[in-house]
Amino acid sequence: MSTTKLDLTGGPVHPAVSALRPLGPHEITVNGGFWGDRQELNARVVLSHCEQWMERIGWTSNFDRAADGTVSGAHAGIEFVDSEVYKLLEAMAWELGRQHDESLDGRYRSLVARVVAAQEPDGYVHTSFGRPGQRARYSDLEWGHELYCFGHLLQAAVARLRSGHDDGLVGAGRRLADHLWQEFGPDGRNAVCGHPEIEVALAEFGRATGEPRYLELARLFVERRGTGTLKPIEWGQEYFQDEVPVRQAHVLRGHAVRALYLASGALDVATDQGDEELARAVELQWENTVARRTYITGGMGSHHQDEAFGSDYELPPDRAYSETCAGIASVMLSWRLLLRTGDPKYADLMERTLLNNILASPRQDGRGFFYTNTLHQRVEGNEPNSDEINARALATLRAPWFEVSCCPTNVARTLASVHLYFATATDDALQIHQYGDADIRTQLQSAGHLSVTMRTSYPDEGRIDVVVADAPVVSAGISLRVPAWAKEGATLHVNGEEHDPHQEVRRIFQPGDTLTLSLPMRPRVIRPHPHIDAVRGTVAVERGPLVLCLESVDLPSGTVNDVSFDPEAPISEAFDSTRIVVEPAHAGHPAWPYSEVTDARRKEHWTVNLVPYYSWGNRGPSTMRVWIPVKTPSS
Amino acid sequence: MSTTKLDLTGGPVHPAVSALRPLGPHEITVNGGFWGDRQELNARVVLSHCEQWMERIGWTSNFDRAADGTVSGAHAGIEFVDSEVYKLLEAMAWELGRQHDESLDGRYRSLVARVVAAQEPDGYVHTSFGRPGQRARYSDLEWGHELYCFGHLLQAAVARLRSGHDDGLVGAGRRLADHLWQEFGPDGRNAVCGHPEIEVALAEFGRATGEPRYLELARLFVERRGTGTLKPIEWGQEYFQDEVPVRQAHVLRGHAVRALYLASGALDVATDQGDEELARAVELQWENTVARRTYITGGMGSHHQDEAFGSDYELPPDRAYSETCAGIASVMLSWRLLLRTGDPKYADLMERTLLNNILASPRQDGRGFFYTNTLHQRVEGNEPNSDEINARALATLRAPWFEVSCCPTNVARTLASVHLYFATATDDALQIHQYGDADIRTQLQSAGHLSVTMRTSYPDEGRIDVVVADAPVVSAGISLRVPAWAKEGATLHVNGEEHDPHQEVRRIFQPGDTLTLSLPMRPRVIRPHPHIDAVRGTVAVERGPLVLCLESVDLPSGTVNDVSFDPEAPISEAFDSTRIVVEPAHAGHPAWPYSEVTDARRKEHWTVNLVPYYSWGNRGPSTMRVWIPVKTPSS
């Protein structure tokens, strides 16, 4: 048992060295506003929604049955449902770190006790493997997801540690990680898990506990990946990134969540071990993936079949898989890269992905979720029964729960910890990366205590006020990210005086000092790269950090499949309402849809509302599109 | 055992009543030319390729092991590999009907004997089910494919009967069909197979043997479909068309091959039983599917995940599944509709699908096959090892064999019988639907014997000569199909005299009389319907019945992902070579592929060859596209 001093700061990630230091739960509080509302919904609804579903369908009681020896033949759900319980525990831990709640605290402790009771004496804990009548431990590394589940247990333990508690699940995590060191360490088997996750989890658990063996084991898993230890499968070894070593790959490929979790873990290993080659490989993979394999929403993964990245520029809007969990994994990777390098492009992508991919998943009421996030809904989805488990691939509106239900709990843990992505510190400066109503207070290592309050109606409006509450007596810096889309037109005022928005504000701050960043909110007409075949001849509209969309409930025709847009026509704009002019196409349904002549079209004009993409599908069944066909000269 | 007189005419389909009478193997012979070359390749290479693969990997010897009781635990391949042996037997039977070959005859008889030896006393024959250590018969109707396999046995028996032999496999078919009558007939279980096929097979086997119970059982299976007898699956009941009765459906949906086989069987039942409502439902399904869910190549099925039709107008070229077997199933359905109605639109789609979808599957050497037929290959495929079984979903060039290897044997049976789609007869007239070098001789019921010889370089050239060899002494008719694309510009000359090409030629024919149809072969620039989002802003080029494509081996840049096409520029044209002018786009790879500004592009012009789509991928790894981006005004 380790007795090293615990690192109680840093949120989900705290590298040994980094350009920027992450802030911990005690350093940032969100107070209402856009993100505060969502964190409250998460606390009030989403957590208990997940808890109740897993209780009802037996995923939590798998642990009880494992503890009392009755789980064989009576296991509920597929073989990686343990991970959903762990992600819920992680979400609860972050939520308890955000604000204490007696009831939640009790539920958390009780659930942890049930998990810990199922742990075997040697540290192994999994409800699907290893007992008489079950498959043997580690007998199906390709598909068994054992280490994937362990990773989520360890991440839940990290959340508990970083919230200031070294109790129940943390101890279980230590026993489990020690067991893994025995089984898969330098003297153990040369193997990896088919679903990366243990790498990133072990690295952080190592950081949070101060136990170097855990980081070393993460390194071993990263290095073994790509050496062909997994058996071939139909979709090729790239499905689980086992076709080429991480440090030799140039782009993310295969199953998107797997690829992004692996890259996150590889970067953690590279950062803490000073492995510049490996870190540069991950940076390059991010660059090429963002340039060629990412949806405008930040969504990643084009294939339904294997949940995979497709080829470069293969980004079909209507068959976008763009899994919620892949968006979350992308944010995890970008956050690590931001901490490492300080480059705001990573925070830009995080913002895009949080607002336009991840936030699209939960329904307004917090009781339904998109698993995949299409950019074009061709036919109206069905409103799923709130009592039924859903198959992920069906064209429904947001569903309450899934057979593979990774997304709801992943959304829960992300919402409960999203404020930890808002800001970082250096020795004598504070960097604000994401905007929302929040109090930030931190000890700058060389300057002293700095505390600020941020107030904004962002992302609906472009003004962000940061008011200094407490300041060091010496010179300190505060910088506010200017998103790439706001490069032209952003202004920054400090106590009413203009300041270069792209420069840090550095001075001896006084309480009451106010930094006001104004970002240009005019709607922008966005064209896709010509290599993105699937959206040729269309445009999207963005406003501020939000990708907008056209939803059929706002159209007289009731369908988005039959309109075109004149990008020369003026876009009218007001708070929360961007309106464009579209024309119905009225192309009819000929007997054969390919011909030498172009259809004549009827002239008609509708002025229609665009809505934020993340909000679509909250007004009943609808069709929707992000990319709107551009009127051609002949039409 | 039935003792009814055998129907020895009619090829794969011979309805009890129909507008057009199909011709049998003794009535049509292909002699060289485009189709003759392919039938020879099939006879010489494809049949033995399939035979040798199945021998090597144990799919044929499953039957030996079933016969000697050793197959349990030693079964080779997935649970429906029996069907591949049956499709090979069907192909062999048609080939033997086309021309006798001593060696093939011996191999056929020997293979039949091995199958028959595995049949159980009650008529059941399946190598994967029903023995100790195997799953029980009919215990997994959703996925077991038992009746699907039986259907292919019965179709192979039909091929043998229609080639004039009532031997080995035909007897096995009778015993099997009688068993099915017991198990699934009016007094049997209310169930259907997860993969339709038994319906179309039983109907035809009933026609070929004259046994009405088999058609009645086909009817029962068709009527039960859509009543929810199959257990729900992730992709929804429409995957196997069990969500709505056939007669209530308006479009084909779900798994494409399943949907098309089912529709074919339903039409057979409707035709022979005078069920106009059911027939009209199938016609409507065909119409809506062709108008909204069919690729320009005739390919059907947009989804890799569930091998399914997508929504209306969801036709991505790069993720086209467009399975070879779905094309074959589409030809089966269209042929039945053509026989029923005489409407040439069905022959048009057959031609399109045969030339541009099915023929794309086999490699020039007959030893490799495409399972799926993409319309846009973004990255160069790998040349698969000629020794290795392939997974169907990987981006490879044509592969020798697959784990699910339905396509090679389906291609083989289609090529061996393709000449039977060339022509039909009525009481006193001959209708020629497909063009190729062939001799056709038939007894017109009221007019007498008519025999003609067809000579043509079609589809490369547009001239087709039909010379009368023998003619009845009374007036008779000959009609030649004018494809829809040739409506304007087709000419017909009879002995040098102009004749309306859209009218039947009717007269007292003399030996030597010559009908010359000339179809306009200028390349046509084809635009997609505006609802087909995935190919907006592109055009395809067709020449005659062939869809052309751009292949990277013909481009200076070596990639098709970076060109645009000026549809106003002249298309130059010569025998087998259509050339267009394209411009490279040179759009670069920006860090983020969505922006307010359009890239400037370099001006450069290349004159490049287009090649027939079916021929692509025969010159080594390449990228390819059917739909070519149109130069925009700004570019």
Side-chain angles (χ1 to χ4, degrees):
Chain A
M1 183 75 46
S2 166
T3 56
T4 50
K5 181 167 172 296
L6 292 181
D7 161 29
L8 298 176
T9 62
V13 187
H14 194 174
V17 287
S18 59
L20 308 178
R21 174 176 69 79
L23 303 188
H26 60 293
E27 295 172 295
I28 310 186
T29 312
V30 164
N31 295 311
F34 186 88
W35 283 112
D37 291 350
R38 281 157 181 84
Q39 290 202 313
E40 278 310 305
L41 183 74
N42 191 52
R44 198 165 35 78
V45 179
V46 180
L47 294 183
S48 49
H49 174 88
C50 294
E51 198 183 347
Q52 285 159 13
W53 263 98
M54 290 198 280
E55 205 58 72
R56 176 182 146 195
I57 59 180
W59 295 5
T60 357
S61 47
N62 280 335
F63 289 97
D64 309 332
R65 289 191 289 274
D68 71 14
T70 61
V71 74
S72 289
H75 184 271
I78 42 160
E79 69 265 310
F80 49 94
V81 296
D82 290 0
S83 69
E84 308 312 337
V85 176
Y86 301 147
K87 276 188 285 180
L88 174 61
L89 285 173
E90 180 182 345
M92 287 173 156
W94 288 125
E95 177 56 27
L96 287 167
R98 206 173 70 83
Q99 56 187 356
H100 188 73
D101 177 285
E102 205 58 47
S103 153
L104 183 63
D105 187 64
R107 283 148 55 206
Y108 172 81
R109 288 173 191 277
S110 145
L111 193 47
V112 165
R114 293 162 73 186
V115 168
V116 173
Q119 189 169 33
E120 301 186 41
D122 67 351
Y124 181 93
V125 53
H126 201 293
T127 64
S128 289
F129 286 89
R131 293 170 195 80
Q134 294 186 321
R135 283 182 287 171
R137 289 181 185 183
Y138 310 124
S139 60
D140 181 11
L141 287 167
E142 285 75 19
W143 296 110
H145 288 77
E146 282 163 284
L147 278 70
Y148 166 84
C149 290
F150 299 162
H152 281 297
L153 187 153
L154 296 180
Q155 286 184 322
V158 166
R160 190 64 175 166
L161 276 167
R162 293 271 164 76
S163 308
H165 303 271
D166 185 352
D167 56 7
L169 202 68
V170 180
R174 285 202 184 85
R175 293 188 292 277
L176 174 60
D178 291 339
H179 159 79
L180 289 173
W181 177 258
Q182 291 296 326
E183 287 287 330
F184 295 93
D187 304 324
R189 59 187 95 195
N190 176 31
V192 299
C193 179
H195 197 313
E197 155 69 15
I198 190 67
E199 299 82 357
V200 68
L202 271 174
E204 203 61 40
F205 192 63
R207 290 165 171 175
T209 56
E211 172 51 61
R213 285 178 306 148
Y214 303 159
L215 182 75
E216 172 59 14
L217 184 53
R219 190 189 70 76
L220 285 174
F221 281 132
V222 168
E223 295 292 359
R224 284 173 194 158
R225 182 77 50 174
T227 63
T229 65
L230 295 167
K231 285 198 285 285
I233 59 163
E234 175 177 358
W235 295 315
Q237 296 308 87
E238 77 167 39
Y239 175 78
F240 28 46
Q241 296 76 46
D242 199 30
E243 90 291 15
V244 60
V246 180
R247 66 179 68 241
Q248 289 169 25
H250 297 127
V251 70
L252 298 179
R253 68 269 169 238
H255 187 276
V257 177
R258 283 170 164 81
L260 288 154
Y261 282 176
L262 176 64
S264 298
L267 191 75
D268 286 339
V269 166
T271 295
D272 282 21
Q273 304 212 336
D275 186 338
E276 289 301 314
E277 182 193 63
L278 183 58
R280 182 61 203 139
V282 174
E283 286 172 14
L284 180 66
Q285 290 163 27
W286 186 95
E287 282 161 27
N288 284 329
T289 303
V290 172
R292 307 179 193 187
R293 300 185 174 191
T294 302
Y295 286 98
I296 191 172
T297 54
M300 293 186 182
S302 311
H303 289 190
H304 279 244
Q305 187 179 36
D306 46 358
E307 307 184 293
F309 288 103
S311 308
D312 285 351
Y313 301 109
E314 182 184 303
L315 295 162
D318 51 354
R319 289 293 282 173
Y321 197 68
S322 204
E323 185 184 341
T324 304
C325 290
I328 289 168
S330 164
V331 165
M332 286 169 54
L333 176 59
S334 290
W335 177 242
R336 283 161 173 78
L337 287 161
L338 175 64
L339 293 178
R340 174 182 170 82
T341 64
D343 190 328
K345 71 181 180 184
Y346 299 116
D348 278 3
L349 188 72
M350 289 176 68
E351 173 174 66
R352 182 177 290 277
T353 309
L354 282 165
L355 288 172
N356 301 295
N357 176 246
I358 298 169
L359 266 200
S361 173
R363 198 166 58 206
Q364 267 172 3
D365 70 358
R367 299 184 187 282
F369 302 85
F370 279 134
Y371 192 115
T372 66
N373 295 280
T374 186
L375 275 72
H376 180 185
Q377 181 79 18
R378 296 178 160 274
V379 293
E380 291 181 358
N382 310 309
E383 192 74 71
N385 192 320
S386 66
D387 252 10
E388 266 174 29
I389 299 189
N390 221 267
R392 66 188 172 213
L394 294 181
T396 63
L397 291 174
R398 295 171 177 88
W401 204 253
F402 302 89
E403 284 166 18
V404 173
S405 207
C406 43
C407 296
T409 54
N410 226 346
V411 166
R413 69 173 183 153
T414 304
L415 287 178
S417 59
V418 69
H419 55 297
L420 301 172
Y421 298 136
F422 277 29
T424 57
T426 50
D427 274 5
D428 62 353
L430 178 72
Q431 300 82 35
I432 302 184
H433 305 286
Q434 305 299 337
Y435 300 122
D437 289 352
D439 292 336
I440 304 170
R441 50 202 171 276
T442 189
Q443 193 69 26
L444 300 178
Q445 198 168 350
S446 71
H449 184 78
L450 175 66
S451 117
V452 304
T453 294
M454 175 159 50
R455 289 291 173 264
T456 181
S457 296
Y458 193 82
D460 295 325
E461 293 186 357
R463 175 175 171 158
I464 298 121
D465 289 310
V466 175
V467 182
V468 174
D470 269 317
V473 293
V474 297
S475 166
I478 299 179
S479 64
L480 306 178
R481 177 179 60 96
V482 176
W485 53 264
K487 278 278 181 293
E488 314 294 322
T491 62
L492 177 61
H493 290 82
V494 183
N495 300 330
E497 220 170 279
E498 198 153 350
H499 188 280
D500 180 352
H502 305 292
Q503 294 293 322
E504 179 188 73
V505 179
R506 172 159 294 275
R507 60 181 60 188
I508 300 176
F509 283 104
Q510 305 297 329
D513 278 353
T514 301
L515 289 71
T516 301
L517 179 67
S518 292
L519 301 175
M521 299 301 273
R522 71 170 173 82
R524 305 183 304 280
V525 174
I526 305 295
R527 292 170 192 279
H529 189 280
H531 287 184
I532 307 178
D533 291 283
V535 290
R536 176 173 290 106
T538 69
V539 294
V541 181
E542 292 182 344
R543 182 180 178 278
L546 297 178
V547 175
L548 306 184
C549 72
L550 189 61
E551 199 175 356
S552 57
V553 286
D554 295 315
L555 278 167
S557 59
T559 172
V560 299
N561 292 322
D562 200 26
V563 294
S564 64
F565 166 58
D566 181 355
E568 307 301 320
I571 300 183
S572 51
E573 203 244 316
F575 175 78
D576 210 17
S577 167
T578 301
R579 298 163 77 84
I580 60 168
V581 176
V582 298
E583 293 180 11
H586 295 298
H589 297 284
W592 179 245
Y594 310 100
S595 77
E596 288 186 88
V597 288
T598 312
D599 277 280
R601 300 182 191 186
R602 188 148 56 89
K603 291 285 176 205
E604 203 175 333
H605 294 86
W606 299 328
T607 301
V608 296
N609 252 344
L610 296 176
V611 295
Y613 169 74
Y614 73 75
S615 74
W616 91 274
N618 273 298
R619 295 178 288 170
S622 67
T623 59
M624 176 280 298
R625 64 190 310 155
V626 167
W627 293 103
I628 307 167
V630 173
K631 205 163 95 82
T632 55
S634 64
S635 68
Chain B
M1 184 73 48
S2 167
T3 55
T4 51
K5 181 168 173 295
L6 294 180
D7 161 29
L8 298 178
T9 62
V13 187
H14 194 174
V17 288
S18 59
L20 308 178
R21 175 176 69 81
L23 303 188
H26 60 292
E27 294 172 296
I28 309 186
T29 312
V30 164
N31 296 311
F34 185 88
W35 284 111
D37 290 351
R38 281 156 181 84
Q39 290 203 314
E40 278 309 306
L41 183 74
N42 191 51
R44 199 165 35 76
V45 179
V46 180
L47 295 184
S48 50
H49 174 87
C50 295
E51 198 182 348
Q52 285 159 13
W53 262 98
M54 290 199 279
E55 204 60 72
R56 175 181 148 194
I57 60 181
W59 295 6
T60 358
S61 46
N62 281 335
F63 288 97
D64 309 333
R65 288 190 292 272
D68 70 16
T70 61
V71 74
S72 290
H75 184 273
I78 43 160
E79 69 265 309
F80 49 94
V81 296
D82 290 1
S83 69
E84 308 312 336
V85 177
Y86 301 147
K87 277 188 284 181
L88 174 61
L89 284 172
E90 180 182 344
M92 287 173 154
W94 289 125
E95 177 55 28
L96 287 167
R98 209 173 68 82
Q99 56 186 358
H100 188 74
D101 178 286
E102 204 60 46
S103 153
L104 183 64
D105 188 63
R107 283 148 54 204
Y108 172 82
R109 288 173 190 277
S110 145
L111 192 47
V112 165
R114 292 162 74 186
V115 168
V116 172
Q119 189 168 34
E120 301 186 41
D122 68 350
Y124 182 92
V125 53
H126 201 293
T127 63
S128 289
F129 286 89
R131 293 170 195 79
Q134 294 186 321
R135 283 183 287 173
R137 291 181 184 182
Y138 310 125
S139 59
D140 181 12
L141 287 167
E142 286 74 20
W143 296 110
H145 288 77
E146 282 163 283
L147 278 70
Y148 166 84
C149 291
F150 299 163
H152 281 298
L153 186 153
L154 296 179
Q155 286 185 324
V158 166
R160 189 65 175 164
L161 276 167
R162 294 270 165 76
S163 308
H165 303 272
D166 184 352
D167 56 6
L169 202 67
V170 180
R174 285 202 183 84
R175 292 189 293 277
L176 174 59
D178 292 340
H179 159 79
L180 290 173
W181 177 258
Q182 291 294 327
E183 287 287 330
F184 294 93
D187 305 325
R189 58 187 95 194
N190 175 32
V192 300
C193 178
H195 198 314
E197 156 68 15
I198 190 67
E199 299 83 357
V200 69
L202 270 174
E204 204 62 39
F205 192 62
R207 290 165 170 174
T209 57
E211 172 52 60
R213 285 178 308 148
Y214 303 159
L215 183 75
E216 173 59 13
L217 185 53
R219 189 188 71 77
L220 286 174
F221 281 133
V222 168
E223 296 293 358
R224 284 173 194 158
R225 182 77 49 173
T227 63
T229 66
L230 295 168
K231 285 197 286 284
I233 59 162
E234 175 177 359
W235 296 315
Q237 296 309 87
E238 77 167 39
Y239 175 78
F240 29 47
Q241 296 77 45
D242 199 30
E243 90 291 15
V244 60
V246 180
R247 66 178 69 239
Q248 288 170 26
H250 297 126
V251 70
L252 299 179
R253 69 270 169 237
H255 187 277
V257 177
R258 283 170 165 81
L260 288 155
Y261 282 176
L262 176 64
S264 298
L267 191 76
D268 286 340
V269 166
T271 295
D272 282 22
Q273 305 212 338
D275 186 339
E276 288 301 313
E277 182 193 64
L278 183 58
R280 182 60 203 138
V282 174
E283 286 172 14
L284 180 66
Q285 290 162 27
W286 186 96
E287 281 161 27
N288 284 328
T289 303
V290 171
R292 306 178 192 187
R293 299 186 173 191
T294 302
Y295 285 98
I296 192 171
T297 54
M300 292 186 182
S302 311
H303 289 191
H304 278 245
Q305 187 180 37
D306 46 358
E307 307 184 292
F309 288 105
S311 308
D312 286 351
Y313 301 110
E314 183 183 304
L315 294 162
D318 50 354
R319 289 292 284 173
Y321 197 69
S322 205
E323 184 184 341
T324 304
C325 289
I328 289 167
S330 164
V331 165
M332 286 170 54
L333 176 59
S334 290
W335 177 242
R336 282 160 174 79
L337 286 161
L338 176 64
L339 293 179
R340 175 183 169 81
T341 65
D343 190 329
K345 71 180 180 185
Y346 299 116
D348 278 4
L349 188 71
M350 290 175 68
E351 174 175 67
R352 181 177 291 276
T353 309
L354 282 165
L355 288 172
N356 301 295
N357 177 246
I358 299 169
L359 266 199
S361 173
R363 198 167 58 207
Q364 268 173 2
D365 69 359
R367 300 186 186 281
F369 301 86
F370 278 134
Y371 192 114
T372 66
N373 294 280
T374 187
L375 275 74
H376 181 185
Q377 181 79 19
R378 295 179 161 275
V379 292
E380 290 181 0
N382 310 310
E383 191 75 71
N385 191 319
S386 66
D387 251 10
E388 266 173 31
I389 299 188
N390 221 267
R392 65 187 173 213
L394 295 180
T396 61
L397 292 174
R398 294 172 177 88
W401 203 252
F402 302 90
E403 283 166 19
V404 173
S405 207
C406 44
C407 296
T409 53
N410 226 346
V411 166
R413 68 173 183 153
T414 303
L415 286 179
S417 58
V418 69
H419 56 296
L420 301 172
Y421 298 136
F422 276 30
T424 57
T426 50
D427 273 6
D428 62 352
L430 178 73
Q431 300 81 37
I432 302 184
H433 304 287
Q434 305 299 338
Y435 300 122
D437 290 352
D439 291 336
I440 305 169
R441 49 201 172 277
T442 189
Q443 194 68 25
L444 300 178
Q445 197 167 352
S446 72
H449 184 78
L450 174 66
S451 118
V452 303
T453 293
M454 176 160 50
R455 289 290 173 266
T456 182
S457 297
Y458 194 81
D460 295 325
E461 294 187 357
R463 175 175 170 158
I464 298 120
D465 289 311
V466 175
V467 183
V468 174
D470 268 316
V473 294
V474 298
S475 165
I478 298 178
S479 64
L480 306 178
R481 178 179 60 96
V482 177
W485 52 264
K487 278 281 179 294
E488 314 294 321
T491 62
L492 177 62
H493 289 83
V494 184
N495 299 332
E497 219 169 278
E498 197 152 350
H499 187 279
D500 180 353
H502 305 292
Q503 295 293 323
E504 179 188 75
V505 179
R506 174 160 291 276
R507 60 181 59 187
I508 300 176
F509 284 103
Q510 306 296 329
D513 278 354
T514 302
L515 289 70
T516 302
L517 179 67
S518 292
L519 301 175
M521 300 301 274
R522 71 172 173 83
R524 304 183 304 281
V525 175
I526 305 296
R527 291 169 192 280
H529 189 280
H531 287 185
I532 307 178
D533 291 284
V535 290
R536 177 173 290 106
T538 69
V539 293
V541 180
E542 292 182 344
R543 182 180 179 278
L546 297 178
V547 175
L548 306 183
C549 72
L550 188 60
E551 199 175 358
S552 57
V553 286
D554 294 315
L555 278 166
S557 59
T559 171
V560 299
N561 291 323
D562 199 27
V563 294
S564 63
F565 166 58
D566 181 354
E568 308 301 319
I571 299 182
S572 52
E573 203 245 319
F575 175 79
D576 210 19
S577 166
T578 300
R579 297 163 79 83
I580 61 169
V581 176
V582 297
E583 294 181 9
H586 295 299
H589 297 284
W592 179 244
Y594 311 100
S595 77
E596 289 187 88
V597 289
T598 312
D599 278 279
R601 299 180 191 189
R602 187 148 56 90
K603 290 286 174 205
E604 203 174 333
H605 294 86
W606 300 328
T607 301
V608 296
N609 252 345
L610 297 177
V611 296
Y613 169 74
Y614 73 76
S615 74
W616 90 274
N618 273 297
R619 295 177 288 170
S622 67
T623 59
M624 177 278 299
R625 64 190 309 154
V626 167
W627 292 102
I628 306 167
V630 172
K631 204 163 96 82
T632 55
S634 64
S635 67

